[in-house]
Amino acid sequence: MDLAKESTIYRFADCELDPREHRLIVRGRPVILTPKVFDTLVLLVVQAGHVVSKDELMQAIWPRGFVHESNLTKHIWLIRRALGDGEEESGFIQTVPKLGYRFVAPVQLIASIPATPVATSSKTIEPGAQRRSRVTYAGLAVAALGAGVVTLAVVGLYPFGRVPAGHETVSGAADAGAVAIVDFNNLSGNAKDGWVGPALEQMLATEVAADGKLHAVPEELVRPARADLPAPDAGGYGPTSLATLQQRIGAHYVLSGAYLVSGSTDAPQLRVDLTLQDAKRGKSLATLSHVAAVNDLPHLIASMGSELRSHFGGLSADASAVGQLAAAQPPTAEVARHFGFALQALDQYDAARARDELLQVIAQSPGYAPAHLLLARAWSMLGYRVKALAAARQAAQYADDLPREMQLQIRAQQAALEGEVKQKVTWSGELSDLRPNNPDYRLGWVEALIDAAEYGPAQAALQEARRRPELDQDPRVELAAAKLESARGNDAAVIPHARLALAQARRRGETGLIAEAGMRLGIALDQAPGAESLLRAAAADYRRIGNPHGEAMTWQNLANLMVERNQQAAAREAYQRAMAIYQGVGDLGGEAAIYDNLSRMLWAAGDRDGTEAALRQALAIGRETNDPERQAWSLTGLATVLADESVGEEPLSMYRQAIELDRQTGRRTHLAFALTYYADLLRIRGQLGDAAEACSQARQVRLGIADASGKLTTDFECAQISLDRGNVDAAAASLKRIEEQAIAARDEFNAANAELVIGQISMGRDHWDKAREELSKSLQSWDAQKEAPGIATAQALLALCDDALGDGAGRDSAAAQAREQRGGITARQEVLTLDISLAQLQADAGQVDGAMATLRNLAVDATQRHWAGYAFEARLAALRVRARGSDVPAIRSLRAALVANAQKAGFGWVRERAERVAGRPARSRPLEPHGQVHRAHMLGDRSG
């Protein structure tokens, strides 16, 4: 069946399906499906009441090759979800086991008839008072374009949502110069003319703002705010709708209208009717009507823009501004057509279609900077960061003739994609200074300061924003405050700001902000009551306003919550929902983020193969999209998994690849991370000199990076290397500083690790009371974090301390708890210290031969896995056990061999302890194995 030639419209329940125009209406609202999902629905509807086999569906939808049946299953899931009748069996599509699917809803067939045009009249426009106001360019808002595991919505980008019918609203502060341009009605109803509306909105927004006194409210804010209002008629909105719109977005003026394309295909005519209303005073100001050939669209827009500006208090653009204005507008009607379709596609989250349209624009007009800017957004939505950056750089290259405001927007976007947070602060600050009355720019500047870790200036800018009347009771202010506290690590302080933002959003009825605030509050509450319900409500709100990215992000966070609760089945289901949505909109970056999340869940559950598979999927996407940052994270995660099996050449090579990628892209934070853990692998492997060099490089990279926890992690690794090399006093002093700084910064992980190693140093020097004190603090912190490896290792070491101090009951209790915890740990490398300690306790219990056999096996296994440091620790433990016996010559021979080997390898701390082992029973000198607990987030955890 040729779907393109299908001319019948199908109606079922409260839905309407038009195959020719590729249009699906559900309960009066357009619903966007990707082309193949749409074609699947058409095939089922056309054969309503009959079973359509899976083979028939797959051959029709994917005629060119094999596609796994799971793709068809996903399409059915997406259709059921779009029709809003459940995501399993529904009143629309019935699954026929082992056969296929049947569309079961009654279907009515009607003819496809275009809508009848409606005429409007012209009136004299009333002059408006000239006022200072904010200025921006619709459709060209600066976006923070990032990839990875996104856990929080970006503040201030597209914040306004649809208000449910009948919901009470509270008036916000009016912006005297703000003009809200609503969707223009396509009177012909033909999808081929659908580009005109978005193009008109963008072009008129640019015209209105050209004088620098008026601000066209971005369409991304207007669209959801008016979504549940009746469409404006020829005279604009009715009084109630006008007041509601003003309450939601604070715009002084509302510009609405309609357009009609008619005449011959070769030379179509375009009629545009506009109505301007004063939303603040609830009255109509004027209507305008212009007719021109479609090919004369640029001139038509210029004429209408000039007329509009002349009636806004006599505002006009000077000669220089007129020239810049021309550079900002599409140069031809054909360029405007593709650009309009691209805007329409982005509004519908169809970034792939937007990309294709924008490539057509650039082919026809290579120097049109706004097309490159929008293309950067489309590539970013699809997960292609390198291509997005290339497009942003092209936009900057062609931006010289644009208005200064648009140039700054382009520069800020380029800086965001390049990760140049300081430069983004500069451009965002200049935007805010250029338009001081624009609250969106002010909040964007606050966000840039937070991203650059300039927390003091961010706090000052936020306080200044609070004093702006335009931002009075605006939930975005509290969301920015919540983000600031989160960045500072003050998790508890996030909650009141997020809670207040949610209350303000609910009072104003802004569903988009309700969703964002609910998600942020749900994340901040973590395990506290109400977190899950808030996240589920946020997902529903995002779905209701048609924001799939927000919905997927919320499901992703809900899945993360389920992982923390150890509810693996629920977590998998939530991840699958997020994955299906990301796949539905073609967001490869979102898919890769899910694989990253899954890898951590699977690792925690002990599923090594699943972890590796998930990380390889994320790496494959990073390579497909040519995203070096994604590749670097996935490579370090994979290397961590492989190193837990063996520190051979492959994991080291992966770290070197990641380090090179980070250096190429300038991602300094991850470069420091990769260098730190590369140093750790080199240390474990026994290459202490190389490890020290890598750690020194990590320290250099961290200079100037505001990441206290990361700095402590690097300092800890460097102290470990120093200790292994025998610089014990210096290492102990460094570890003590790390402990104090970590406690002050509330960094429990680094504090607990530092205390663990300080305790082991004290054990090695027979300072048993001090060792017990440090290890007890470490255990308490591991308990608070629910870190099983840390708990078990600290308990085993405490058992050795109790044994040395003659506390048999304490030893037995701690040893029993350590063994119980050990049973649930599947990671190999980070529990070797624990296993060595347990073998020592086995010897203390009189099972010397068994302990020796265990330690020999551990040493051999560690050697085979290239874990030289752990092999030395196991050999040292075996020497200590052997020293309990009476064969002094054999003990001395073993000691001499170990000392010589440790000396040759540069393991000074092992050599020092081995030299102190006496050839006689030494029950008061039990084993003091040396090790740490590794970070769980080494598997590619990415924040922001």
Side-chain angles (χ1 to χ4, degrees):
M1 178 181 61
D2 187 349
L3 298 176
K5 294 181 179 179
E6 181 64 45
S7 60
T8 304
I9 293 178
Y10 300 85
R11 287 181 178 169
F12 46 90
D14 49 5
C15 306
E16 182 174 291
L17 179 68
D18 187 343
R20 185 182 65 179
E21 300 295 343
H22 203 278
R23 182 170 54 213
L24 172 65
I25 305 296
V26 179
R27 288 183 288 281
R29 293 185 58 226
V31 174
I32 305 303
L33 299 176
T34 58
K36 290 189 181 298
V37 176
F38 185 89
D39 290 349
T40 304
L41 174 60
V42 173
L43 281 166
L44 291 170
V45 171
V46 167
Q47 300 187 56
H50 301 283
V51 176
V52 183
S53 71
K54 294 179 181 179
D55 288 343
E56 182 181 351
L57 285 166
M58 294 180 71
Q59 289 172 10
I61 303 301
W62 295 282
R64 297 181 183 176
F66 174 77
V67 175
H68 195 273
E69 189 178 304
S70 62
N71 288 275
L72 177 60
T73 304
K74 184 182 74 175
H75 282 196
I76 299 298
W77 185 91
L78 289 168
I79 292 170
R80 285 171 171 158
R81 179 175 175 273
L83 298 179
D85 195 23
E87 294 159 3
E88 299 300 331
E89 289 295 333
S90 74
F92 292 102
I93 301 175
Q94 178 187 75
T95 301
V96 182
K98 299 182 179 180
L99 290 177
Y101 301 94
R102 178 189 291 117
F103 196 84
V104 295
V107 176
Q108 177 187 4
L109 281 64
I110 62 174
S112 178
I113 303 174
T116 304
V118 178
T120 58
S121 59
S122 295
K123 294 183 181 178
T124 303
I125 187 169
E126 295 182 11
Q130 181 171 343
R131 302 177 186 271
R132 291 173 54 84
S133 69
R134 55 187 180 170
V135 180
T136 188
Y137 291 84
L140 297 172
V142 178
L145 302 172
V149 180
V150 184
T151 56
L152 296 176
V154 180
V155 177
L157 294 183
Y158 311 113
F160 288 90
R162 188 184 69 196
V163 180
H167 198 293
E168 181 182 358
T169 61
V170 178
S171 177
D175 184 344
V179 183
I181 304 177
V182 304
D183 286 350
F184 291 104
N185 185 22
N186 179 2
L187 296 178
S188 73
N190 290 327
K192 65 182 179 62
D193 301 325
W195 65 272
V196 178
L200 284 174
E201 293 161 27
Q202 192 274 332
M203 296 171 79
L204 284 173
T206 303
E207 292 286 339
V208 164
D211 64 285
K213 300 297 188 296
L214 296 175
H215 162 230
V217 180
E219 194 272 342
E220 291 88 350
L221 307 184
V222 177
R223 186 180 67 255
R226 58 90 192 141
D228 64 334
L229 301 177
D233 56 24
Y237 279 110
T240 301
S241 295
L242 191 63
T244 301
L245 191 61
Q246 192 278 324
Q247 289 171 342
R248 293 175 182 175
I249 59 178
H252 191 153
Y253 303 103
V254 173
L255 185 63
S256 62
Y259 66 91
L260 174 66
V261 178
S262 60
S264 66
T265 305
D266 295 336
Q269 295 290 301
L270 172 64
R271 172 173 175 169
V272 179
D273 300 312
L274 301 179
T275 299
L276 182 67
Q277 295 175 281
D278 185 330
K280 182 67 175 176
R281 291 182 288 175
K283 60 183 295 187
S284 179
L285 298 178
T287 62
L288 293 81
S289 183
H290 286 247
V291 179
V294 170
N295 287 339
D296 289 333
L297 177 62
H299 296 97
L300 182 148
I301 291 295
S303 175
M304 297 187 80
S306 177
E307 185 175 351
L308 281 171
R309 289 194 302 274
S310 69
H311 290 294
F312 276 112
L315 304 179
S316 62
D318 60 28
S320 174
V322 169
Q324 293 176 337
L325 185 61
Q329 297 287 29
T332 68
E334 184 63 12
V335 167
R337 185 174 74 86
H338 288 294
F339 198 76
F341 274 133
L343 290 168
Q344 183 187 55
L346 287 175
D347 291 344
Q348 298 165 351
Y349 296 91
D350 190 348
R353 183 162 64 92
R355 171 204 59 199
D356 295 343
E357 295 289 347
L358 290 165
L359 290 173
Q360 289 289 332
V361 171
I362 291 168
Q364 295 178 32
S365 183
Y368 184 45
H372 292 284
L373 181 65
L374 215 58
L375 181 60
R377 177 179 165 191
W379 278 126
S380 185
M381 289 173 66
L382 292 168
Y384 290 83
R385 290 179 58 84
V386 171
K387 291 184 177 182
L389 178 55
R393 287 172 175 166
Q394 285 290 96
Q397 179 180 340
Y398 296 120
D400 290 346
D401 295 333
L402 296 176
R404 178 60 177 166
E405 184 175 2
M406 194 178 292
Q407 292 181 30
L408 292 172
Q409 291 175 339
I410 290 172
R411 299 295 183 189
Q413 184 188 52
Q414 180 184 352
L417 283 165
E418 290 177 335
E420 295 291 344
V421 291
K422 300 292 186 183
Q423 199 62 48
K424 184 183 175 185
V425 167
T426 299
W427 300 130
S428 299
E430 287 195 28
L431 268 172
S432 184
D433 291 341
L434 182 67
R435 306 298 181 210
N437 294 327
N438 186 335
D440 301 315
Y441 287 156
R442 191 170 297 277
L443 290 175
W445 182 42
V446 171
E447 181 183 338
L449 289 166
I450 295 171
D451 290 341
E454 297 184 19
Y455 302 138
Q459 183 68 55
L462 190 57
Q463 287 301 108
E464 184 180 352
R466 291 183 187 279
R467 293 191 287 270
R468 303 296 305 181
E470 302 96 324
L471 287 170
D472 182 41
Q473 299 298 305
D474 192 319
R476 292 176 297 169
V477 175
E478 296 304 324
L479 286 171
K483 180 176 181 178
L484 175 58
E485 296 299 341
S486 178
R488 284 172 161 170
N490 300 330
D491 294 339
V494 173
I495 296 175
H497 290 297
R499 201 182 295 280
L500 179 56
L502 181 58
Q504 291 173 341
R506 283 173 172 167
R507 285 197 297 270
R508 294 175 65 162
E510 297 167 357
T511 310
L513 280 178
I514 291 171
E516 183 178 343
M519 181 174 67
R520 186 178 288 272
L521 180 57
I523 294 168
L525 287 173
D526 194 25
Q527 301 296 322
E532 181 179 349
S533 61
L534 281 165
L535 290 171
R536 290 188 181 278
D541 283 337
Y542 276 127
R543 180 177 177 183
R544 186 159 55 250
I545 64 174
N547 184 339
H549 283 97
E551 183 185 358
M553 190 162 45
T554 308
W555 282 115
Q556 197 171 341
N557 279 289
L558 183 60
N560 293 340
L561 176 62
M562 296 299 142
V563 170
E564 293 176 9
R565 292 179 176 177
N566 201 29
Q567 297 175 353
Q568 305 297 327
R572 285 176 183 269
E573 180 186 356
Y575 281 138
Q576 287 169 356
R577 284 175 177 260
M579 179 70 82
I581 296 170
Y582 283 135
Q583 290 175 339
V585 297
D587 184 353
L588 290 173
E591 289 184 46
I594 296 294
Y595 283 123
D596 276 346
N597 283 153
L598 281 170
S599 72
R600 286 191 296 281
M601 182 187 79
L602 295 169
W603 180 258
D607 185 349
R608 303 171 63 85
D609 292 340
T611 302
E612 183 177 346
L615 286 167
R616 290 196 184 278
Q617 288 278 14
L619 179 60
I621 291 175
R623 286 172 172 163
E624 178 184 346
T625 58
N626 194 24
D627 183 347
E629 183 181 3
R630 168 67 60 191
Q631 292 176 57
W633 274 106
S634 300
L635 283 166
T636 52
L638 267 175
T640 300
V641 174
L642 296 176
D644 194 57
E645 188 70 33
S646 170
V647 186
E649 183 55 33
E650 186 176 10
L652 291 176
S653 175
M654 286 180 168
Y655 263 101
R656 287 193 289 268
Q657 291 176 55
I659 289 166
E660 181 58 29
L661 288 167
D662 288 331
R663 283 181 171 143
Q664 290 174 7
T665 58
R667 302 288 179 177
R668 297 178 63 219
T669 299
H670 189 260
L671 174 58
F673 170 93
L675 283 166
T676 298
Y677 286 105
Y678 179 54
D680 188 59
L681 292 192
L682 290 170
R683 179 184 68 83
I684 292 167
R685 188 179 166 91
Q687 298 174 221
L688 297 182
D690 293 338
E693 174 59 26
C695 209
S696 176
Q697 291 181 31
R699 274 180 161 163
Q700 284 297 117
V701 172
R702 287 208 182 275
L703 293 177
I705 298 177
D707 179 8
S709 178
K711 180 180 181 301
L712 288 173
T713 300
T714 299
D715 288 346
F716 175 82
E717 183 56 38
C718 292
Q720 284 264 95
I721 296 167
S722 181
L723 175 61
D724 280 345
R725 301 178 84 179
N727 303 317
V728 184
D729 292 337
S734 179
L735 288 165
K736 194 63 182 177
R737 287 195 299 272
I738 291 168
E739 177 192 16
E740 293 168 353
Q741 291 169 9
I743 290 171
R746 300 178 183 176
D747 183 350
E748 291 186 327
F749 194 99
N750 276 312
N753 243 346
E755 290 157 355
L756 192 72
V757 180
I758 292 170
Q760 291 170 77
I761 293 173
S762 297
M763 290 174 67
R765 291 185 163 176
D766 294 338
H767 302 154
W768 301 106
D769 287 326
K770 183 178 179 182
R772 176 190 262 176
E773 178 186 351
E774 290 292 337
L775 293 169
S776 295
K777 290 190 293 184
S778 181
L779 174 61
Q780 184 177 3
S781 186
W782 292 129
D783 254 330
Q785 299 172 72
K786 299 179 181 178
E787 286 278 1
I791 294 169
T793 302
Q795 289 280 21
L797 294 171
L798 280 168
L800 291 174
C801 290
D802 289 335
D803 182 65
L805 294 169
D807 183 357
R811 175 200 63 202
D812 294 342
S813 175
Q817 292 180 60
R819 291 190 180 97
E820 181 181 357
Q821 288 283 345
R822 176 65 180 87
I825 301 172
T826 58
R828 295 187 177 97
Q829 188 189 115
E830 66 181 356
V831 294
L832 268 179
T833 300
L834 167 61
D835 289 341
I836 294 170
S837 301
L838 292 175
Q840 172 71 18
L841 291 168
Q842 185 182 5
D844 288 345
Q847 302 174 29
V848 175
D849 290 341
M852 285 296 297
T854 298
L855 291 168
R856 280 195 297 269
N857 290 336
L858 287 172
V860 170
D861 186 60
T863 299
Q864 292 173 342
R865 297 179 188 277
H866 304 285
W867 299 342
Y870 289 115
F872 274 122
E873 294 295 335
R875 289 177 62 188
L876 178 60
L879 174 63
R880 289 222 179 255
V881 172
R882 178 63 69 192
R884 298 172 182 275
S886 57
D887 190 350
V888 175
I891 296 168
R892 288 176 177 173
S893 176
L894 288 173
R895 182 178 60 197
L898 180 56
V899 168
N901 293 154
Q903 176 75 25
K904 182 178 179 180
F907 278 83
W909 179 225
V910 172
R911 186 205 65 216
E912 177 185 327
R913 288 175 291 162
E915 288 175 340
R916 297 174 63 192
V917 176
R920 60 181 184 278
R923 187 169 180 79
S924 63
R925 296 275 303 281
L927 170 70
E928 64 293 333
H930 169 51
Q932 64 170 315
V933 174
H934 293 283
R935 280 190 177 277
H937 78 208
M938 284 176 66
L939 294 179
D941 187 18
R942 310 173 62 179
S943 58

